[in-house]
Amino acid sequence: MSEAVAAYFEEHRESHDLGRRALRGGIVSIVIQYGNAVLQIVAAIVLARLLAPEDFGLVAIVTVLTSFAPLLIDFGLLDATAQRSRVTPAQVSGLFWVSAGIGMAVAVIVAACSPVIAWIYDDSRLLPISLCIAVTFVLAGLTNQHMALLRRTMQFGRIGRIQLFGTFVGTIAAIAAAMAGYGYWALVLRPVTSAICVVIGTWAACPWRPGTPVFDDEVKSMVRFGLHVVGFTVAYTLSRAVDRIALGLLYRPDQVGYYQNAMNLYDNSIYAALNQTHAVGSSALSKLQANPAALREKYEAALSMLAFFLMPAAAILSVTAEDLTVVLLGQKWQAAGALLSIIALRGISHVVEGSQGWLHLSLGRADRWQTWGIISLVAQVGAVLAGLPFGPAGVAWGVVIGYSVIALPSVMYAGRPIDIGAALVIRAVGPQTIGAVATVAAGWWLQATLLAGVPALLRMVLSGCFCACVDLAIVVGVFRHVEPLRIAGTIIQDLMRKR
């Protein structure tokens, strides 16, 4: 085994600069992820002007119904490889062939179910869309363990560049197809093209190649760990998808299209950063499995810093959502902007709720994570059903309220094995939460009064600056919470020196 490959299989050890490495990796990956998000938004701007809301609704119905499939393919084995203290190339080969086999099986099942999907929604166009989307599941099974090894060695910048490459090529292909008049097929082509590029990128970045598999007791243990992870992720993904599934059954495709594009803007702004920090947080904290006190300390610091930057970002997005959507996507998408204004509020509690996975995975308690996923699914089904009679806006409010209620209990449950409770979470995010809520209230008041007659672009800029000042005045001025700024400045200086 070459020295380059051997580096991927070194045993986890706590290091004196772990916190700095994790923060640096987190900042780099989030910056790249926001570059990815910019591409996604550019694609949304162009495609929204070339395609009809119905086109987005049709593809959204299929992608939401099949959103669980990548999780089955992953099978939790990516997290299992990244989290495990010690792993061998033969064991990773075994996990690779498991993922590849699951990817093929899921693709066959989705293809077989495509006539059923078309029949349930009474639209024959859904059949060929489902068949094409199934191809992406085969490709996903080929990248799982390569991504795990890159994450294991904390190469988050490289992972981000691979994802950026896939997004860029997929975006170009989709825009070209839309301009050529292919309608909703442009939206189908994008994920297929992106998946092909990610396969090429991961295999080029990670020199390890699968060989003869080994299925020893350690691999079986990792598969059991993965089963619990996939149990959570399937339940959690269904809880995130139940809103669009329900809307698709009771409302027109264009209504689903408005809701879907609102969710796309939220996902490419707030959720994108949270998704990147999950990979960084779980990988870094996993190296502290043997030191619960250090794990608690690093978790509190990371959560505090994340809340400092993302909670006000969610507040600003909520205040400026309608103007932002109209400026980016055009006047015909104004209804999506109104929905985004509600959905963005979820970002305030999402920072807390999204961090639970760091604890479950770093402690090796994926079984508890799976249990919480089921609780989250039940809560969201109830929230969506409560809001469904009131249309897309009612569903959006139901989702925001539902997730806000379970945010603090989710971390209290995850942190119970190492005595992380409500007091630690409130200490970490209390000032930021108060600042974000006050910012939303002040921003909405400004929009409705002083800026009511101002042009959309200027109103968006003025509101964003006003909200940022309000948040800083409360969090930094009133609560004197400046540590995240100091840490961020130090990391940025380090990165500039390396450059």
Side-chain angles (χ1 to χ4, degrees), residues 468-485:
C469 291
V470 170
D471 186 80
L472 285 173
I474 294 173
V475 179
V476 177
V478 176
F479 290 99
R480 304 294 180 185
H481 191 61
V482 297
E483 186 65 11
L485 287 176

Side-chain angles (χ1 to χ4, degrees), residues 244-394:
R244 279 150 288 177
I245 293 173
L247 287 171
L249 290 171
L250 296 183
Y251 294 91
R252 301 188 311 272
D254 61 326
Q255 296 297 307
V256 183
Y258 290 131
Y259 194 97
Q260 177 65 26
N261 259 359
M263 285 298 299
N264 284 342
L265 289 172
Y266 175 80
D267 287 348
N268 286 313
S269 53
I270 306 302
Y271 186 68
L274 289 171
N275 203 29
Q276 287 299 307
T277 55
H278 168 78
V280 178
S282 58
S283 296
L285 293 179
S286 291
K287 300 180 186 300
L288 300 173
Q289 294 175 48
N291 190 344
L295 198 156
R296 283 194 299 270
E297 179 186 346
K298 297 297 184 184
Y299 169 76
E300 181 179 351
L303 179 60
S304 178
M305 185 169 179
L306 187 64
F308 185 91
F309 292 104
L310 277 192
M311 283 187 177
I316 293 171
L317 180 61
S318 176
V319 171
T320 61
E322 291 195 47
D323 292 331
L324 177 67
T325 305
V326 170
V327 169
L328 292 180
L329 306 185
Q331 191 65 41
K332 68 180 179 180
W333 291 97
Q334 187 173 8
L339 292 172
L340 178 60
S341 183
I342 302 169
I343 292 169
L345 294 174
R346 192 203 158 188
I348 298 174
S349 62
H350 203 169
V351 173
V352 176
E353 186 245 341
S355 70
Q356 60 168 309
W358 308 353
L359 297 172
H360 286 301
L361 292 177
S362 62
L363 296 173
R365 293 307 305 270
D367 55 330
R368 291 173 61 83
W369 203 25
Q370 176 182 259
T371 300
W372 187 261
I374 297 170
I375 295 172
S376 176
L377 174 59
V378 172
Q380 284 311 299
V381 168
V384 169
L385 291 177
L388 198 57
F390 305 98

Side-chain angles (χ1 to χ4, degrees), residues 73-116:
I73 297 164
D74 171 68
F75 212 65
L77 301 180
L78 190 155
D79 285 313
T81 300
Q83 181 268 348
R84 194 64 46 141
S85 294
R86 184 181 302 168
V87 70
T88 68
Q91 290 168 343
V92 176
S93 292
L95 299 181
F96 170 86
W97 293 115
V98 169
S99 292
I102 295 174
M104 180 63 72
V106 169
V108 171
I109 291 171
V110 170
C113 291
S114 56
V116 179

